[in-house]
Amino acid sequence: MPSGLDKLQHIVVLMMENRSFDHMLGSLKAVNPAIDGVDANTFTNPDAKGNVVKPQPKAEFQAQLQPDPDHHFPAVDLQIFGGGTGANRQANMQGFVKSYFNQQRDAKHSQTIMYYFPQDKLPVLTTLALEFAVFNRWFASIPGPTICNRAFAHYGTSFGRVDLNPIYPPEAIKSIYTRLIHANPKRTAKVYYYDTTSSTMEVANLLQNQPELFGTYSQFLSDCEKGDLPDYSFIEPNYSDHQGDSGEEIANDQHPDHNVQAGEVFIASIYQAIKNNPELWESTALLITYDEHGGIFDHVPPPGCTKDIFTADGNATGTGTPFQFDRLGVRVPTVLVSPWIPKGTVVDRVFDHASIPATITRFFLGDYSPRSPRETSADIFLEPKGAASDPARNLLSLDVMRTDCPDFDA
Amino acid sequence: MPLIRVPKPPKSAYDPGRPASSLLKSQAEHLREAESKLPLRYRSKVYVKSIKTEEEAARYIRDVTQAIHEAHEDAERARRTPKRKQVLEIAAAADERSKPKRARRKPASKRPKSRKSKRKKK
């Protein structure tokens, strides 16, 4: 068994907000052609008048994507299918500019939805993507907004929701945290929200019933320093500009129109907190992902997937057509960090956020049921230890730990 | 590998008066649901629909999050305390019942002779 996987004890997932793969990492195709990023010669979108709009490296940290690009179910349906209807329509990713135009009827401004960041503007995310493993095919779980997509990361399903309304999970399907802390032998798990003022975005029901599962970002830093990190940690960014205990706290979730640099600093701080503790660094894998694309362009059509046991009816989807959770959402930036991953790894297998509980469950608990069909059919990004491990799929494949990993001054 | 510099956002990026996004408003709604299940004394008097800015949303979210933690801590404390009290009360009551009996019971030498033994002597 490769020593990297053998040493793995902690898995940390950081989920940011509302940015697409091409928008954040699309520039990296020029550096490493294996990364499926932006090619302005082959992918364009029509604007409302039919003019061709090319992707451009003009994304700004803030004050550009106003209003917040629509990413509710009907808008994402337009973005993916370009306005096509009927059973045989094809996902062509031709509706991003049209969708943004619908919000303000401003043809020039609607082109900003096709902007992406040049590599040097995002030194943290692009460096981690080039240094460790970047996923070419990690999609949001649903072509819809935040809450239902985040639910997939915790439960492996959104229980039929495609919107922002509260989720009431039935007793049968447990959150990944409940599965772990009730396991025998018992496992440890924590959701670290930024602070009590930012709180948790998606699992108010868990906070309500199991507040002991929650900690803060400062506790995460302290747990890293002391070597007290649980088996599984899920980190939430700061969702709002607010007055905190130590002064002004800038939202660092990268949700438009929050400052993208603040998110870069936040990502770097999580990485450094793990890396600065040598024992933790060698025994931890950090997954950085985004809940959904936030209405921003991406060129890869989301594939179909196994149906869930739930269906959203035509009223719930807002399109008049029911949704059986049989198609993934738009592609999001996702990077896996560990000193046991070969530099420049590019993963082409298909994943979505249901892969998170699927991987954590498999790694720490082995077989477990009941789980949603979406979760049981989702691919895993970390192989289980022991005989069940498939060396060909193991991303922590180095026998000797790397010593050339980057450091950030965050 | 050289240390990679991470530029910080400018001070001007901070804008708590920014209109709350639909996401923040929905977070507040989720927490309102959770708040409605708390005992009355923990609930805020904020009307969630009146939230307009990030700062207002943040303040409400903080108050409810703290209230949830407080309510659980209080419930946990209460859950433990009555049990201990109950055990002590039972023990105390048992003690109370047994003490008088023991007090009434004098050593055999000092016990008054029973009628039966008196009768025998006669």
Side-chain angles (χ1 to χ4, degrees):
Chain A
M1 185 194 305
S3 51
L5 195 59
D6 194 28
K7 292 223 184 281
L8 189 60
Q9 291 175 41
H10 309 277
I11 302 173
V12 178
V13 172
L14 167 61
M15 186 172 273
M16 304 293 283
E17 277 284 314
N18 291 38
R19 302 277 168 174
S20 72
F21 183 100
D22 278 346
H23 178 67
M24 299 295 270
L25 297 177
S27 67
L28 297 184
K29 187 180 177 73
V31 185
N32 179 356
I35 297 175
D36 194 358
V38 175
D39 183 346
N41 296 318
T42 56
F43 179 74
T44 60
N45 253 216
D47 72 6
K49 292 174 186 165
N51 300 315
V52 170
V53 182
K54 288 185 173 187
Q56 295 184 73
K58 290 182 174 177
E60 298 288 348
F61 298 125
Q62 200 164 20
Q64 190 172 56
L65 292 173
Q66 289 178 317
D68 179 19
D70 195 348
H71 46 281
H72 290 273
F73 194 93
V76 183
D77 193 78
L78 167 60
Q79 291 156 17
I80 292 173
F81 292 99
T85 54
N88 297 321
R89 63 185 183 156
Q90 296 293 313
N92 56 18
M93 314 308 275
Q94 291 295 293
F96 290 95
V97 179
K98 282 183 201 165
S99 172
Y100 205 31
F101 175 79
N102 286 347
Q103 289 182 249
Q104 270 195 322
R105 321 296 293 176
D106 179 339
K108 193 174 177 204
H109 184 64
S110 66
Q111 297 183 7
T112 57
I113 208 70
M114 296 291 280
Y115 289 176
Y116 63 96
F117 283 99
Q119 182 191 352
D120 60 351
K121 274 189 136 175
L122 303 179
V124 179
L125 193 65
T126 57
T127 299
L128 296 177
L130 291 171
E131 284 290 326
F132 299 100
V134 61
F135 293 79
N136 268 340
R137 293 288 182 274
W138 192 296
F139 297 87
S141 291
I142 302 177
T146 290
I147 304 286
C148 46
N149 269 299
R150 284 183 172 259
F152 270 83
H154 305 298
Y155 296 94
T157 176
S158 65
F159 308 99
R161 298 235 67 111
V162 292
D163 54 26
L164 293 173
N165 288 331
I167 286 167
Y168 303 101
E171 262 305 290
I173 297 180
K174 309 282 187 210
S175 74
I176 182 60
Y177 316 99
T178 309
R179 292 177 207 172
L180 290 169
I181 63 170
H182 290 159
N184 186 16
K186 188 176 174 175
R187 292 290 184 171
T188 52
K190 222 163 190 64
V191 179
Y192 293 96
Y193 51 58
Y194 188 76
D195 59 14
T196 49
T197 309
S198 178
S199 191
T200 183
M201 180 55 76
E202 60 274 56
V203 282
N205 58 310
L206 269 187
L207 177 67
Q208 182 192 313
N209 298 317
Q210 296 170 279
E212 69 278 6
L213 284 174
F214 292 80
T216 60
Y217 166 67
S218 59
Q219 190 184 338
F220 172 79
L221 299 181
S222 158
D223 287 349
C224 284
E225 200 178 334
K226 290 187 286 187
D228 284 345
L229 211 58
D231 297 325
Y232 176 50
S233 308
F234 185 88
I235 302 173
E236 298 193 63
N238 175 15
Y239 300 112
S240 62
D241 285 6
H242 63 260
Q243 199 66 35
D245 292 339
S246 49
E248 293 177 352
E249 297 284 3
I250 296 181
N252 54 28
D253 59 354
Q254 298 184 328
H255 188 297
D257 186 39
H258 290 155
N259 190 282
V260 173
Q261 278 180 312
E264 282 268 291
V265 173
F266 184 61
I267 295 169
S269 75
I270 300 289
Y271 168 85
Q272 285 301 149
I274 297 168
K275 188 167 185 288
N276 291 346
N277 179 336
E279 280 181 24
L280 201 58
W281 177 236
E282 72 167 14
S283 60
T284 303
L286 166 66
L287 184 86
I288 302 157
T289 188
Y290 287 69
D291 66 333
E292 36 96 358
H293 73 302
I296 306 168
F297 89 102
D298 193 82
H299 78 279
V300 177
C305 62
T306 301
K307 280 185 210 174
D308 208 354
I309 41 174
F310 305 96
T311 300
D313 64 29
N315 285 333
T317 61
T319 61
T321 307
F323 180 59
Q324 296 186 305
F325 296 85
D326 53 358
R327 177 175 293 281
L328 300 178
V330 176
R331 200 167 59 133
V332 289
T334 304
V335 174
L336 183 67
V337 173
S338 158
W340 302 96
I341 296 175
K343 180 175 174 160
T345 299
V346 180
V347 186
D348 287 322
R349 288 184 278 138
V350 173
F351 296 86
D352 75 284
H353 302 325
S355 299
I356 295 171
T359 303
I360 307 304
T361 300
R362 187 83 197 280
F363 188 80
F364 289 117
L365 305 178
D367 290 332
Y368 184 95
S369 66
R371 294 188 290 158
S372 73
R374 282 287 302 267
E375 184 184 329
T376 50
S377 61
D379 204 348
I380 54 174
F381 56 90
L382 289 166
E383 287 295 293
K385 289 180 185 176
S389 172
D390 179 351
R393 293 162 46 94
N394 177 26
L395 300 176
L396 278 61
S397 60
L398 295 177
D399 293 328
V400 178
M401 195 172 93
R402 284 172 57 186
T403 55
D404 63 343
C405 300
D407 280 293
F408 301 101
D409 72 347
Chain B
M1 199 168 189
L3 188 69
I4 296 169
R5 205 179 74 78
V6 185
K8 313 279 181 293
K11 273 265 172 199
S12 59
Y14 181 72
D15 180 13
R18 181 187 297 121
S21 65
S22 60
L23 180 61
L24 265 185
K25 285 181 178 171
S26 105
Q27 186 190 13
E29 279 289 343
H30 283 224
L31 286 164
R32 189 192 62 76
E33 290 272 323
E35 185 190 24
S36 69
K37 293 175 181 114
L38 291 175
L40 278 173
R41 64 182 181 280
Y42 296 101
R43 294 187 206 169
S44 69
K45 293 189 174 85
V46 174
Y47 178 55
V48 174
K49 302 270 185 220
S50 71
I51 289 173
K52 296 277 186 290
T53 65
E54 285 200 8
E55 191 173 34
E56 289 168 359
R59 207 178 301 134
Y60 173 73
I61 288 162
R62 179 199 59 203
D63 289 351
V64 177
T65 304
Q66 283 175 349
I68 289 171
H69 282 289
E70 272 170 33
H72 273 263
E73 282 160 16
D74 290 350
E76 182 63 19
R77 216 172 292 128
R79 196 180 63 78
R80 284 184 183 156
T81 312
K83 268 191 179 169
R84 215 179 296 139
K85 209 173 166 186
Q86 218 179 352
V87 169
L88 287 174
E89 277 168 0
I90 291 166
D95 212 22
E96 284 299 307
R97 278 195 295 272
S98 61
K99 267 178 189 167
K101 277 180 190 168
R102 260 184 247 129
R104 262 183 256 128
R105 200 164 181 171
K106 292 177 180 172
S109 57
K110 291 184 181 178
R111 264 182 238 156
K113 285 172 184 172
S114 65
R115 280 180 187 176
K116 209 177 176 181
S117 58
K118 277 177 187 171
R119 253 183 249 135
K120 269 184 185 173
K121 277 188 177 177
K122 277 177 185 176

